[in-house]
Amino acid sequence: MRWGAVLVLFLFAALIPPLAGLNENLNPDASSRFQIFLATSALVLALWAISYNLMLGYTGMVSFAHAAYYGVGAYTVALIFKRYHLPILVGLAAAPFAAAAVGVVTGLVAQRAVRLYFSLLTLAISQLLFSLAFTWYDFTGGDNGISVTVPDQLSDYTTLYYFTAAVVGVCLLLMFLLVRSPFGAALLSIRENRQRAAAIGINVKVYELAIYTIASLFAGVAGGLFMLYQQQAYPEMLYWTANAQPVVVSLLGGTGTFLGPAVGAFIYVVLDNAVSKQFPYQFDIILGAIVLGVVLAVPGGISDAPTVFLRLRERFHRGEKAEAAPAESAGEAIRMFDVRKALATDAIQAEEVHPGQTLLQIEHLSRRFGGLRAVEDVSLEVKQGDRHAIIGPNGAGKSTLFNLITGQLKPTSGAVKFDGRDITGKPPHVIARTGIGRAFQITTIFPKLTVRQNLQFAMLAHAGYTVRPFGLASRIFSAEAQELAEAVGLGAWAELPAGQLSHGDQRAIEIAISLALGSKLVLLDEPTAGMSAYETDKAMELVRRLATERHLTLLFCEHDMSVVFSTARTVTVMHQGRVLTEGTPEQIRHDPDVQKVYLGELEQEELGA
Ligand code: ADP
Ligand code: MG
C-alpha cells in the first residue's frame, strides 16, 4: 500500500505538464506555464523539506541554519555562472559540495551544545551567513542578490520541470536508502534516546555531525535548483526565518514518514497560490491556523491521516465489544517473563570465562559535586562470573559509581580498569564497546522502536555496521534479535513498540540490549525498583538464568535485601560515598556496622513518615 502511494505520487509528478496543458485548453485563464512553474517550486521545496526532516524527523535536531545552506547552494550556482562564466551544470554540481563544506564547519561549531543550545547556535550561524551575503557587496551583490539569465536549454518550463524532477528524484532515492540503512538505524536510535544510543556504542556527536552535513548537502542541491527556476539568489534566502518553510511543510505533511514533507510541500504551494490570490496579506495567518489544526488533529501530519482514520474506526468497532479487552491485559501480566522459553534458546554465546580472575578493577575512585563527595576513594574488584551486589542507603553513591564506570560521569580522581584496559574517563560509547552493558536506574530503552528493533539496533551498533549508509537495516540481525527477544520471554511482543510494554518487560528489554551487545559485564542499577513482588521474583529469576547461561558477570545495586541475598555472591556496602565493608551475603547479613547503617536509615524513614 505504501509503494502504491509512491507510485501514485510518481505518476502524478510525471503527468503534471500534460495535465497543465489540458487545463489551459479547457480554461484559457489558467496558464500552463505558471502551473508548471508552481509544480517545479513544489518539487524543490519537497527536496529542501525532506533534507530538513533528515535532522528533524530522523535525529530530533532542530536547526535554524538549514536555510543558509539552501542559500549557499543558490549562490554557488549563480556565482559560478555569472562571475566565473562556467556552465550552469557545473554550478549545480558544485552547489551540494559548497553547502556541505559550510555545513560541516558550522555544524562542528553548533555541536558544542546540545538540544536547545544547539538550536540557538545554529541561529547565530544563520545570522552570520546571512550578514555575509548581505554585506559582501562586491562578491554577492549585497541586498540586490544575483540575477542570472538561464541559458536556452533550461529556460523552457517543461524541460526545466522534468530536469528538476529527475534531480529531486535521484536525491530522494539516495536519502531514502540512507534512512533505511544501518546508518539510518543509528540516527533513529539517537532520536529516540541519546543516552541509550551512546550506551549501545554509538558515537552520538559524530553521527549527528554526519547527518547535519548530509542534510546541508541536499539543501545545497535544492538551493541550486531554486536558482534555476527563480533565476536569482538573494540574501533573504539565508535569513533565519526562512527555516520556517521546511519546518511548516514537514509538520504539515508529517515528520514521521519519509515522503511526508513532500506531501506537505505540494499542499503548501497549492495553498500559497490559492490563498495569496484572494488574500495577499493574510497567507501567513491562514497557513498558521491550518498547520495548528493539522498538528492538533493529526499529530503525524497529513500523510498520517489514513492511519489515524483506521485507528478511529478500530476504536469505534472495539467500543462494541469492550468486554473482551480487560482479560487480555490480565493475561499479559502472567505471561510477562516466560523463563522456560528463556532457558530453551541461546541466541548469542558469550566467550569462555575464567572464573575468579578480576574483570573490573576500581582503584581509589572519587567524584565530587562541588563540596559533596558522592563517591570517595572507592576501591573494588569484580571477579569474572561473579554476581556482585552493591548495597547502601539512598544517596550512598551507588548510581554515581555506576555512572563513573560506564562513562556518563568522569571521575575527579582514581582509575577504572576493565578486562585489562584502562577505561577511566572514556566516553560511554567507547566503554560500551569494551563489553560493559548497563541497565539504568530509570529504564532507558528506545520506546517508539519495536522490541525487536531495540535489540537489532544494539546488534548493528555492536557489529560496527551503523557506519554503513547502504543496505537494509531491517534485514540484518532480524532473526537473531527475534531469537533474543524470545530468550528473555518477549518473543510474542517483538513487533510492539517497546514503550507499550509493562515496566517489568521494559526492564527485560534493557537487559536483553546488554546481551545483544555481547557484554561480559552487565551493570544493573536497582533492577527491581518499582516492581511488584511477583514481578521482582520473575525478573531476578531471569537475570540469574541469563547470567548462568551466558556466563555473564553481574554488578548490581539493589534496595530490596531479599533480592540481594537471593542473587549476590559478593556484597559491597557503601555509605556516604565510601566502601563500608565487603563480604559474602552471610557475612554482610550479620555485620553490626551494616545493620547500623540500615537501622539509621530505617529510623529516618520512620521519622519522615
Ligand atoms: P544512590 O544511587 O546510592 O542512591 P547517588 O549516586 O544517586 O546515590 O547519589 C550520591 C550523592 O550524590 C547524593 O547525595 C546525590 O544527591 C549526589 N548527586 C548525584 N548526582 C549528582 C549530580 N549530577 N550533581 C550533584 N549531586 C549529585
Ligand atoms: Mg541510585
Side-chain angles (χ1 to χ4, degrees):
M1 169 167 157
R2 206 177 276 172
W3 286 109
V6 171
L7 193 70
V8 168
L9 277 179
F10 185 81
L11 280 177
F12 181 62
L15 288 177
I16 278 183
L19 283 178
L22 205 65
N23 192 25
E24 193 178 45
N25 287 344
L26 297 174
N27 175 7
D29 282 347
S31 145
S32 72
R33 284 182 56 172
F34 184 61
Q35 309 284 337
I36 296 169
F37 174 84
L38 282 186
T40 312
S41 75
L43 283 176
V44 173
L45 183 56
L47 173 58
W48 186 27
I50 289 180
S51 75
Y52 192 98
N53 202 39
L54 286 182
M55 295 184 293
L56 182 69
Y58 287 91
T59 326
M61 301 155 90
V62 179
S63 166
F64 287 111
H66 206 54
Y69 310 127
Y70 182 64
V72 167
Y75 271 102
T76 305
V77 176
L79 286 169
I80 286 184
F81 184 70
K82 196 142 185 185
R83 296 239 187 284
Y84 302 105
H85 310 292
L86 290 168
I88 207 117
L89 289 183
V90 172
L92 205 56
F97 298 102
V102 179
V104 70
V105 173
T106 51
L108 263 174
V109 177
Q111 263 205 333
R112 307 306 302 168
V114 290
R115 298 275 184 229
L116 178 63
Y117 299 98
F118 163 83
S119 299
L120 292 177
L121 280 181
T122 59
L123 185 70
I125 288 162
S126 166
Q127 286 304 86
L128 199 79
L129 292 171
F130 164 75
S131 303
L132 203 67
F134 193 76
T135 53
W136 194 359
Y137 204 89
D138 294 338
F139 189 61
T140 62
D143 54 349
N144 296 326
I146 306 174
S147 295
V148 170
T149 313
V150 171
D152 284 346
Q153 318 90 286
L154 282 175
S155 62
D156 168 57
Y157 278 85
T158 309
T159 314
L160 187 58
Y161 173 81
Y162 282 122
F163 177 76
T164 306
V167 175
V168 169
V170 169
C171 289
L172 294 197
L173 183 66
L174 289 175
M175 286 192 276
F176 183 67
L177 294 177
L178 186 76
V179 300
R180 307 247 299 187
S181 70
F183 177 82
L187 298 183
L188 274 181
S189 64
I190 291 170
R191 180 193 71 186
E192 284 297 295
N193 192 331
R194 288 171 69 88
Q195 188 178 37
R196 178 42 80 191
I200 64 172
I202 289 172
N203 190 343
V204 174
K205 292 243 166 186
V206 167
Y207 280 80
E208 282 181 341
L209 181 63
I211 197 61
Y212 189 85
T213 308
I214 292 169
S216 50
L217 182 135
F218 286 108
V221 179
L225 291 172
F226 174 89
M227 215 302 306
L228 276 191
Y229 77 82
Q230 284 287 355
Q231 314 214 341
Q232 56 178 335
Y234 46 88
E236 283 73 22
M237 289 181 76
L238 288 77
Y239 199 64
W240 71 275
T241 52
N243 289 289
Q245 220 182 4
V247 174
V248 160
V249 159
S250 299
L251 288 177
L252 203 60
T255 54
T257 44
F258 180 76
L259 281 178
V263 175
F266 188 79
I267 295 170
Y268 180 93
V269 169
V270 169
L271 266 182
D272 188 4
N273 180 44
V275 175
S276 300
K277 247 189 235 159
Q278 309 285 329
F279 313 98
Y281 302 108
Q282 285 88 359
F283 177 63
D284 286 342
I285 299 177
I286 294 170
L287 180 70
I290 290 174
V291 172
L292 207 62
V294 166
V295 171
L296 289 178
V298 201
I302 285 172
S303 57
D304 202 30
T307 325
V308 171
F309 174 75
L310 286 180
R311 210 176 298 148
L312 280 178
R313 208 176 61 171
E314 199 177 292
R315 195 181 296 168
F316 178 76
H317 284 302
R318 211 189 298 148
E320 294 167 6
K321 34 183 177 171
E323 296 295 301
E328 202 176 298
S329 50
E332 192 177 330
I334 294 166
R335 280 176 297 166
M336 187 182 55
F337 287 115
D338 194 339
V339 179
R340 265 171 305 141
K341 261 196 191 158
L343 264 176
T345 29
D346 201 358
I348 297 172
Q349 280 289 349
E351 285 171 41
E352 203 48 51
V353 289
H354 312 281
Q357 274 186 5
T358 300
L359 186 61
L360 178 75
Q361 183 152 20
I362 296 170
E363 293 165 358
H364 306 290
L365 201 64
S366 299
R367 169 71 199 211
R368 293 186 196 142
F369 295 111
L372 179 82
R373 295 162 180 224
V375 167
E376 181 69 10
D377 196 27
V378 168
S379 294
L380 187 77
E381 271 186 15
V382 179
K383 303 263 194 257
Q384 211 147 49
D386 202 1
R387 298 176 191 159
H388 194 134
I390 297 191
I391 66 170
N394 256 330
K398 305 179 297 289
S399 294
T400 306
L401 179 66
F402 279 18
N403 286 335
L404 292 173
I405 297 171
T406 52
Q408 274 80 26
L409 290 173
K410 297 208 186 311
T412 314
S413 61
V416 184
K417 286 172 189 153
F418 175 70
D419 211 11
R421 286 175 62 178
D422 189 353
I423 56 166
T424 319
K426 292 258 180 353
H429 67 270
V430 172
I431 294 178
R433 285 202 211 125
T434 62
I436 303 185
R438 159 122 197 226
F440 293 83
Q441 184 160 357
I442 295 165
T443 312
T444 302
I445 56 172
F446 304 122
K448 284 196 202 128
L449 303 183
T450 65
V451 173
R452 184 176 49 74
Q453 281 173 322
N454 267 268
L455 307 180
Q456 202 177 356
F457 287 13
M459 290 172 180
L460 285 169
H462 177 61
Y465 289 176
T466 47
V467 295
R468 294 186 186 172
F470 52 85
L472 256 181
S474 59
R475 294 266 171 84
I476 311 172
F477 295 135
S478 175
E480 288 86 346
Q482 179 70 33
E483 214 173 310
L484 181 56
E486 271 156 28
V488 296
L490 298 176
W493 292 275
E495 298 307 323
L496 281 186
Q500 283 183 11
L501 269 60
S502 74
H503 174 66
D505 286 350
Q506 293 190 25
R507 275 310 213 189
I509 295 173
E510 220 181 0
I511 294 166
I513 288 175
S514 295
L515 299 178
L517 296 171
S519 305
K520 290 180 215 147
L521 173 68
V522 179
L523 269 58
L524 307 170
D525 195 346
E526 308 214 5
T528 68
M531 285 187 186
S532 67
Y534 174 81
E535 279 183 310
T536 299
D537 282 351
K538 288 290 164 200
M540 290 318 290
E541 204 175 327
L542 177 75
V543 167
R544 285 191 298 267
R545 296 233 192 257
L546 289 174
T548 311
E549 276 171 23
R550 290 159 197 256
H551 315 294
L552 296 177
T553 308
L554 291 181
L555 178 63
F556 66 103
C557 63
E558 183 52 59
H559 231 70
D560 185 336
M561 283 307 133
S562 67
V563 168
V564 173
F565 292 125
S566 67
T567 304
R569 293 191 193 129
T570 311
V571 180
T572 299
V573 186
M574 280 183 76
H575 184 47
Q576 294 177 347
R578 292 174 172 277
V579 173
L580 189 71
T581 181
E582 189 179 302
T584 64
E586 246 351 82
Q587 287 165 336
I588 296 301
R589 204 198 289 266
H590 298 110
D591 189 311
D593 282 344
V594 178
Q595 285 172 357
K596 232 185 273 166
V597 166
Y598 272 88
L599 273 178
E601 199 202 18
L602 274 182
E603 274 162 18
Q604 274 175 11
E605 271 177 15
E606 274 160 19
L607 285 175

